[in-house]
Amino acid sequence: MNTLIQDCINNKSSETPIWLMRQAGRYLPEFRSIRKKNQDFIKLCLNTKLSSEITIQPIERFGFDAAIIFSDILLVPYALGQQVNFKKNFGPDLRKIDLKILNNVKKEDFLHKLDPVYKTVKEIKKKLSNSNKDTIGFVGAPWTLLLYMLNRKSPKGGNFRVFPKDKYVNNILMKLDEFLKIHIEAQIESGASIIQIFDSWAGLLPEKDLEYFVYKPIKSLIDFIRKKKTISICFPRNINNYKKFVDNVKPDIISIDYNVDPSIIRDTIDIPVQGGLDPKILLQNKEIVRNEVTKYLKTFDKKRYIFNLGHGVLPETNPDMVRHLVDEVRSFNGQ
Ligand code: CP3
């Protein structure tokens, strides 16, 4: 069976599919109740039974057209031997990288550490097998991972420094290229029908550094995903020039943030587009949500557009507003 997203990007359906980044997360009481009993976030991601349950929660509640695996981009640094903790009211907290460890990680050990994630992908694929919904696997882009690995915490609020393009940085980027491909391949073999690449911090870089840190490393992953005959989505958050990104990297689908004008995207980019709506809009009233949703849907006019947000669902979002959002998109489909 074709999925709705496949039909949409191949122009075989005028229905707009919808799923949301961070659709499984703290805004859902059913997630919070599991999270409360599981304080160690990495362990939770590596618990196949619970991560499968969490992945399916928003599908059961809202009927989204795709399930994104409940996991995290920082599981890759973790499986590469760097200690990662998620601290309450702080976010990720990483220990210093040890190059000796990083350069000696074996493929089998990496795959063994992340095996529960691949089992979750298999579970979800099985659950969705009789539906037209996609199973989305994902990785962090090399730049965003490098940033967390070297900065050892979120670069939020300018809390980071620019790295030289030296041997040390190149060593880490090469290792990331190698192991991200291993992680992508294992997710595809387990049943992921789409791979999304999150480059959440691409917008921090000056134009002159994009080729080295963003275009080249992501292109390498995209070419790999294409060889595996799997759909790729890229989310280079907050970059200034999406057209240049698409021309250089050539993903199947481009996911946009909320700072870019969607009509400029429509007029300059000719691959399928995803996302855009500011997640803060979901904290407003229903009328504002309707107006903003309509703006995106009218701009793309049912043409190869996947509804999503311009970043993840905020924890303070009322699930009723997500229900309203889904209903608005579905009722537009019927028009
Ligand atoms: O989208 C989904 O529903 C699937 C699961 C998913 C998570 N993280 C779960 C998560 C995905 C795809 C991610 C990606 C991710 N993780 C990114 C890229 C997207 C983005 O948000 O920019 C990044 C940068 C991370 C790293 C990360 N993970 C940070 C900075 C934090 C702390 C900040 C925060 O939002 O809490 C996390 C934790 C995290 N990852 C949570 C969830 C549901 C919250 C954990 C909690 O319950 O405390």
Side-chain angles (χ1 to χ4, degrees), residues 307-325:
F307 202 93
N308 205 320
L309 305 177
H311 202 187
V313 182
L314 296 165
E316 56 270 40
T317 307
N318 183 338
D320 291 345
M321 202 56 107
V322 175
R323 174 81 265 158
H324 175 65
L325 168 74

Side-chain angles (χ1 to χ4, degrees), residues 72-225:
D72 198 89
I73 63 167
L74 297 180
L75 285 193
V76 166
Y78 160 82
L80 290 174
Q82 189 172 13
Q83 277 198 40
V84 182
N85 275 307
F86 286 86
K87 289 205 292 207
K88 218 175 177 172
N89 305 322
F90 179 80
D93 174 34
L94 291 83
R95 284 265 187 89
K96 220 170 167 227
I97 303 181
D98 183 337
L99 267 201
K100 274 204 258 14
I101 296 178
L102 178 70
N103 286 333
N104 287 299
V105 176
K106 302 269 174 301
K107 179 176 176 179
E108 308 79 71
D109 296 336
F110 178 89
L111 287 172
H112 179 70
K113 269 190 165 170
L114 297 184
D115 191 52
V117 176
Y118 310 132
K119 290 205 170 102
T120 303
V121 179
K122 281 189 191 131
E123 277 288 311
I124 300 304
K125 180 71 174 183
K126 204 165 76 191
K127 278 207 169 87
L128 300 181
S129 61
N130 289 317
S131 76
N132 63 350
K133 300 182 193 303
D134 278 284
T135 300
I136 304 183
F138 65 87
V139 292
W143 158 248
T144 287
L145 290 178
L146 176 80
L147 188 54
Y148 280 105
M149 289 166 84
L150 291 177
N151 202 51
R152 297 165 51 206
K153 60 177 184 300
S154 172
K156 248 184 190 158
N159 220 334
F160 89 108
R161 58 189 178 86
V162 183
F163 314 113
K165 302 181 188 90
D166 59 9
K167 249 174 91 178
Y168 179 75
V169 161
N170 195 53
N171 181 165
I172 301 172
L173 286 175
M174 289 296 114
K175 279 288 152 191
L176 284 171
D177 181 69
E178 179 186 345
F179 281 94
L180 287 172
K181 284 174 181 165
I182 291 169
H183 191 42
I184 287 170
E185 180 171 45
Q187 293 182 76
I188 292 174
E189 282 173 0
S190 305
S193 49
I194 297 179
I195 298 290
Q196 173 148 332
I197 300 176
F198 287 92
D199 212 350
S200 304
W201 298 106
L204 290 179
L205 287 163
E207 178 73 29
K208 67 172 177 42
D209 288 336
L210 288 175
E211 172 63 28
Y212 180 83
F213 286 113
V214 173
Y215 302 155
K216 189 164 153 269
I218 298 187
K219 172 89 169 40
S220 170
L221 301 180
I222 294 293
D223 290 347
F224 181 79
I225 298 167

Side-chain angles (χ1 to χ4, degrees), residues 230-291:
T230 302
I231 297 167
S232 61
I233 307 179
C234 278
F235 178 49
R237 189 168 73 92
N238 277 353
I239 54 163
N240 284 321
N241 195 335
Y242 272 96
K243 177 165 168 45
K244 198 163 169 205
F245 177 91
V246 167
D247 288 346
N248 275 282
V249 174
K250 300 188 169 53
D252 292 332
I253 301 169
I254 183 77
S255 199
I256 58 173
D257 64 78
Y258 50 85
N259 291 315
V260 56
D261 180 345
S263 62
I264 292 178
I265 297 290
R266 177 201 56 205
D267 295 342
T268 55
I269 289 181
D270 56 11
I271 66 168
V273 174
Q274 166 178 285
L277 184 87
D278 188 341
K280 290 192 285 299
I281 296 291
L282 296 178
L283 308 178
Q284 310 278 333
N285 64 43
K286 288 192 173 175
E287 202 186 325
I288 295 179
V289 171
R290 168 179 296 159
N291 290 341

